Amino acid sequence: MKKLVYGLLVAASVNLLFSCGSKPKPEPKPIEEPEVVEVPEEKPPVELPKTDNSEALSKTENARQAAIDAGAKETSPVQFAAVDKLYEALQAQAKTGADVSKGLEDVEKRYNALEKYAQAVAAKKRIDELGLASADQAKYDAGCAALSDLEGLFKEANLTGDSMLAKADTAKKSFDAVLFTGFKNLAKDERTEAFKAKRDADSIKAGVASKEAYDKAVEEFRAGDSSYAMQNPESAYAHYKTSKGQFTEVYTTVLARREAASKAMEEARARVAESQSYAEKADVETPLTGENIKGIEAEDAKLLEDDNYADPESQQADIPESIDMNTGDEK
C-alpha cells in the first residue's frame, strides 16, 4: 500500500514538472520612446505689396471736378451723390494699399457720363430756346431718345459706368450736331444782313466820315469769316451780329450828321441871301467907297482851307459779298 501511494506521488510530481516546463515565458514589453514633436520655426509675417493708386485717384478726381463744372450736381443731384459714395469707399480702400484701379475706372466713367449728361441737357435747352430743332430733326430726336434711355438707366441696380457713358455721349453728340447746323444757318443769314448794313454805310461814305467806327465794323465782319472758316459757326454768328449792329450805328450816326450839316447849310444860304439883299439895299441907300474898309475882306482873300478829303471809294473795305457756307471760302 505504501508503495502504491509513493508511486502516485512520484507520478504526480513528474506530471507537474512537465506541465510547468511546457508553459511559454512571457515576452518582454517594448520600451516606449517619447514622441518627438517638431516645433515650427517662427517667421515674421509676410507683407503683401501695396498698390500705388495715385494716378487712378487723380484721374477720377479730375473727372469729378469736370462734372461739377458742367453743372452735374444741379442737373442730376441724386446720381452725383451716389457716385460720390462709391468714390469715397474706394478712396478708403486705396489708403490700405489695395488695388482699386478697376473700381476707380468705373467711377471715373460715371463722372464723365454725368458731365456729358449735364452738357446735353444744357444743349437741348439752347436748341429749344432758339428754335433750332428743325435744323437737324433726326439728330435732335436721337439726342432726346438717348437722354430718356440714360434717365431710365439711373433707376437700374446693375448700372455701370460704361452703360451710362455710352448713352450720355450719344445725347451730347446729337445735340451738338443740331447746334452746329443751326448756327451755320443763323450765321449765313446774319452775314447777309451785316453785308447789307455795310453797303448802306458805304452809300453815304461812312468809311471817310467815321473811319474808326467803320474800321471796327469791318474788323468784326472779317472775324466772322475767320471763325466760319475755322468751323465755329456760333462764333461767326456772334461776330456777324455785332458787325451788323456797328455798321448800322455808323450809318445812322453819319447820316444824322450829314442831315444836320445839310440843314445848317440851307439855313446859312438863307442867311447869306438875306444878308445880300440887305447889303444891296444898304448900298443903294448909303454906298461904300474906298478900299480896305474895316470888316470887309479883300477881294482875293482866302476864306477857307483847301479841301483835303480822301477818295471815298478808296476808303471802302473790300469784303466779299458771299462765301461758301460749307467751307468758308470766298466767292
Side-chain angles (χ1 to χ4, degrees):
M1 185 69 178
K2 288 180 179 180
K3 290 181 179 180
L4 178 62
V5 171
Y6 177 77
L8 291 172
L9 288 173
V10 173
S13 297
V14 172
N15 186 47
L16 178 63
L17 289 172
F18 276 108
S19 64
C20 288
S22 63
K23 186 176 180 180
K25 294 181 179 181
E27 295 181 1
K29 294 182 178 180
I31 300 175
E32 294 184 0
E33 296 182 1
E35 183 179 354
V36 179
V37 179
E38 293 185 4
V39 179
E41 182 183 353
E42 290 187 6
K43 295 181 180 180
V46 178
E47 291 188 7
L48 296 175
K50 292 185 178 181
T51 302
D52 182 5
N53 296 287
S54 57
E55 184 177 351
L57 285 167
S58 178
K59 289 176 65 178
T60 305
E61 186 61 36
N62 290 339
R64 181 179 185 274
Q65 188 58 52
I68 292 174
D69 294 342
K73 269 190 172 181
E74 294 73 29
T75 307
S76 49
V78 175
Q79 283 302 314
F80 193 89
V83 179
D84 264 357
K85 190 174 181 180
L86 291 173
Y87 183 34
E88 288 166 6
L90 290 169
Q91 285 176 307
Q93 293 178 44
K95 289 179 180 179
T96 68
D99 184 357
V100 293
S101 57
K102 291 294 183 184
L104 288 174
E105 183 180 353
D106 178 70
V107 168
E108 181 188 351
K109 289 179 180 179
R110 289 173 187 252
Y111 282 131
N112 289 337
L114 293 180
E115 176 194 2
K116 291 179 182 293
Y117 174 71
Q119 292 169 337
V121 169
K124 181 181 182 301
K125 183 180 179 182
R126 290 193 71 200
I127 291 168
D128 294 341
E129 289 174 347
L130 295 171
L132 299 178
S134 59
D136 194 334
Q137 193 67 49
K139 288 289 186 182
Y140 179 80
D141 293 342
C144 290
L147 276 187
S148 179
D149 290 345
L150 179 56
E151 289 162 357
L153 285 176
F154 287 161
K155 303 171 186 177
E156 294 186 3
N158 59 344
L159 183 64
T160 66
D162 283 325
S163 60
M164 288 175 63
L165 186 55
K167 292 297 181 181
D169 192 53
T170 297
K172 182 180 182 302
K173 286 181 177 178
S174 296
F175 291 133
D176 284 349
V178 176
L179 284 173
F180 184 82
T181 303
F183 275 111
K184 279 185 72 173
N185 296 339
L186 290 175
K188 178 181 178 181
D189 294 341
E190 201 66 16
R191 189 185 192 281
T192 299
E193 293 302 312
F195 193 86
K196 288 180 181 178
K198 175 188 176 297
R199 191 159 51 199
D200 289 341
D202 289 340
S203 69
I204 59 172
K205 311 299 187 274
V208 175
S210 187
K211 186 175 186 333
E212 184 177 353
Y214 178 88
D215 288 346
K216 284 184 178 179
V218 170
E219 183 179 348
E220 198 69 28
F221 192 100
R222 287 176 173 157
D225 282 353
S226 178
S227 292
Y228 203 98
M230 297 295 291
Q231 297 297 303
N232 190 347
E234 183 174 354
S235 175
Y237 169 70
H239 284 301
Y240 291 142
K241 188 173 183 179
T242 300
S243 178
K244 181 184 71 173
Q246 290 172 334
F247 277 128
T248 300
E249 185 178 357
V250 169
Y251 172 78
T252 302
T253 301
V254 173
L255 184 62
R257 289 209 305 255
R258 285 183 181 277
E259 288 176 347
S262 179
K263 181 179 179 182
M265 289 177 66
E266 289 297 327
E267 291 174 350
R269 288 193 187 98
R271 288 195 298 272
V272 168
E274 183 179 350
S275 297
Q276 185 176 359
S277 175
Y278 178 80
E280 288 176 353
K281 181 179 179 182
D283 191 45
V284 170
E285 296 176 355
T286 310
L288 296 175
T289 59
E291 295 181 355
N292 299 323
I293 299 173
K294 188 176 181 180
I296 302 297
E297 298 290 347
E299 184 178 354
D300 59 350
K302 186 175 183 180
L303 301 181
L304 297 174
E305 294 296 326
D306 293 335
D307 185 358
N308 192 31
Y309 287 153
D311 178 11
E313 296 299 328
S314 67
Q315 301 303 305
Q316 294 181 13
D318 184 16
I319 293 177
E321 183 172 356
S322 63
I323 60 173
D324 186 341
M325 301 311 287
N326 292 319
T327 64
D329 294 335
E330 298 180 2
K331 287 185 176 181

